[in-house]
Amino acid sequence: MSERFIVILAGGKGERFWPQSRLRRPKQLLPIVGEKPMLLQTYERVAPLVPRRNVYILTNVEQAAAVRRVCRELPRENVIAEPIGRDSGPAVGLATEVIAARNPKAVFASVHADAAIHDVKSFQRDLRAALAAAAASPVFVTLGVRPTEPSSDYGYIQRAGHWKTVNGREIFRALRFVEKPAPETAQQYVASGDYFWNTGMFVWSVRVVREAFARNAPELHAGLARIGAALAAGRGLTRTLAAVYPTLPRIAVDYALLEKADNVVVMPASFDWDDVGGWAAIARHFAPDSAGNVIRGAGVVEQGSGNIIVSEGGHLTAVLGTEDLVVVHTADATLVCPRGKAAQLKQLLKRLAEDPANRRFL
């Protein structure tokens, strides 16, 4: 049986959860959903599937120390810090080379650190089946979630016909990827029953990923080959990454590999999944009061409905006579906005970044 690994991608900035989420303490390091940091929840979900030393976390230099504090059980060297963000394509490529240095015949799963998944047993069963499929055939296995609504916030995967049944899980050939369609188009996708939300969870072998980089992303492949050569020669990874990583193109792995490949299959997930994309999403994970208000921390709503209140440090946040607001209070910053505007936080943060007096709040 092929040796198996898990890679957790944990380098995001978590901008849509400002002001709780900051560059050095982003969303994945916070208990946005549940009582533990999102990253720790993810690690605990995957840890039973492979030996501890076969779990890697990819993050960035600003967050590496915090990641190690959150995942104390993980060997220190299994937290790999990118010197500069280059999106998921280079991150997956880096993980491929790190794993290849240990076992070039391995298979691995790539998952994100910040998804909310409550049905852990079903998640583990599906991931085991996906790892088995990738070990047996030269394919990219994607995990897709059946849409519960015609959302334009997610990418979609269209399935084709039946491919195989592995460990009791039916897997389909993937026909195409569609990035965040218009609402009318998303409605058609949901009605057809042939589309899944793209979870960004992928399972593949080292050999298949390397071949795909060489074929479909030659510029990126050339840089990754330099990293692989350094690892094979036993040279330090930190110095190599500092020299090579800034030269790599910035590209998502979906665009670099998956959308160009003809060997992609999709497994319909049997578990619940939410990428918890912004403040409005937490209302799906906590019980509201009788007026539909969700309150985390010390908060009170009088004569109001549909509000989301998050208050840190025992500070009481009181809201009177409002509807559908997001109010987030932290020690040094407070956000107030309509729920419908919470997804536009990046515009606000861009303004803060342009003001020297406010950059410290990022």
Side-chain angles (χ1 to χ4, degrees):
M1 184 175 69
S2 301
E3 189 174 13
R4 301 176 180 188
F5 293 77
I6 306 288
V7 174
I8 303 173
L9 302 181
K13 297 179 181 178
E15 293 174 317
R16 288 177 291 182
F17 281 92
W18 186 88
Q20 263 199 336
S21 180
R22 308 291 176 95
L23 178 60
R24 295 183 183 277
R25 193 189 65 166
K27 163 188 172 184
Q28 59 268 22
L29 299 177
L30 299 172
I32 297 292
V33 174
E35 302 304 319
K36 297 179 181 180
M38 302 288 284
L39 171 60
L40 183 57
Q41 294 180 47
T42 302
Y43 172 73
E44 290 179 345
R45 278 197 297 270
V46 303
L49 301 176
V50 298
R52 184 184 306 170
R53 65 189 184 90
N54 285 13
V55 178
Y56 285 94
I57 298 177
L58 261 68
T59 184
N60 54 57
V61 292
E62 290 87 0
Q63 299 166 16
V67 167
R68 291 188 177 102
R69 286 195 296 271
V70 167
C71 296
R72 295 181 183 275
E73 293 184 359
L74 202 63
R76 180 181 177 82
E77 62 272 18
N78 283 37
V79 176
I80 301 173
E82 298 172 296
I84 186 172
R86 279 294 182 261
D87 215 323
S88 60
V92 167
L94 171 57
T96 303
E97 296 306 321
V98 169
I99 293 170
R102 287 184 51 187
N103 186 344
K105 296 182 180 180
V107 298
F108 69 98
S110 170
V111 303
H112 290 278
D114 51 6
I117 297 171
H118 300 291
D119 188 351
V120 174
K121 289 185 178 179
S122 293
F123 166 80
Q124 292 171 344
R125 183 185 65 234
D126 285 2
L127 206 59
R128 285 191 181 98
L131 286 162
S137 301
V139 293
F140 295 129
V141 185
T142 67
L143 277 77
V145 168
R146 294 188 184 279
T148 57
E149 60 179 341
S151 174
S152 296
D153 294 332
Y154 303 131
Y156 288 73
I157 306 171
Q158 183 182 14
R159 75 173 195 181
H162 172 83
W163 177 65
K164 285 183 180 180
T165 299
V166 178
N167 292 5
R169 304 295 298 126
E170 187 174 18
I171 305 175
F172 299 88
R173 297 187 183 278
L175 187 60
R176 63 171 178 151
F177 290 76
V178 182
E179 183 65 21
K180 298 181 179 180
E184 300 80 11
T185 304
Q187 181 69 57
Q188 296 171 11
Y189 290 171
V190 175
S192 75
D194 290 335
Y195 289 81
F196 300 93
W197 283 336
N198 181 3
T199 65
M201 286 184 263
F202 308 121
V203 186
W204 33 37
S205 69
V206 166
R207 179 175 67 85
V208 165
V209 176
R210 278 179 152 178
E211 290 175 352
F213 274 120
R215 182 171 56 252
N216 297 320
E219 182 182 355
L220 180 52
H221 172 69
L224 295 172
R226 290 175 60 191
I227 296 172
L231 288 167
R235 295 197 296 271
L237 185 59
T238 301
R239 181 174 296 181
T240 300
L241 291 183
V244 176
Y245 225 74
T247 71
L248 301 181
R250 184 189 300 271
I251 188 169
V253 71
D254 306 58
Y255 299 140
L257 302 186
L258 292 153
E259 294 187 4
K260 300 175 182 177
D262 59 4
N263 58 336
V264 182
V265 298
V266 56
M267 175 191 294
S270 63
F271 54 88
D272 61 295
W273 171 86
D274 186 352
D275 78 341
V276 198
W279 282 119
I282 72 167
R284 296 193 288 266
H285 299 277
F286 297 100
D289 65 15
S290 59
N293 301 296
V294 173
I295 301 173
R296 298 284 289 162
V300 61
V301 178
E302 175 65 22
Q303 301 174 34
S305 62
N307 298 288
I308 295 174
I309 311 297
V310 179
S311 192
E312 289 185 352
H315 178 95
L316 176 65
T317 297
V319 174
L320 172 64
T322 65
E323 296 181 355
D324 298 323
L325 282 185
V326 171
V327 181
V328 182
H329 176 86
T330 68
D332 63 348
T334 300
L335 169 71
V336 181
C337 72
R339 283 178 65 162
K341 294 286 187 179
Q344 300 176 27
L345 266 175
K346 287 188 178 182
Q347 298 175 26
L348 172 63
L349 299 189
K350 181 180 179 182
R351 182 170 177 179
L352 295 181
E354 293 169 350
D355 183 353
N358 287 326
R359 287 176 191 159
R360 63 189 178 92
F361 297 109
L362 295 176

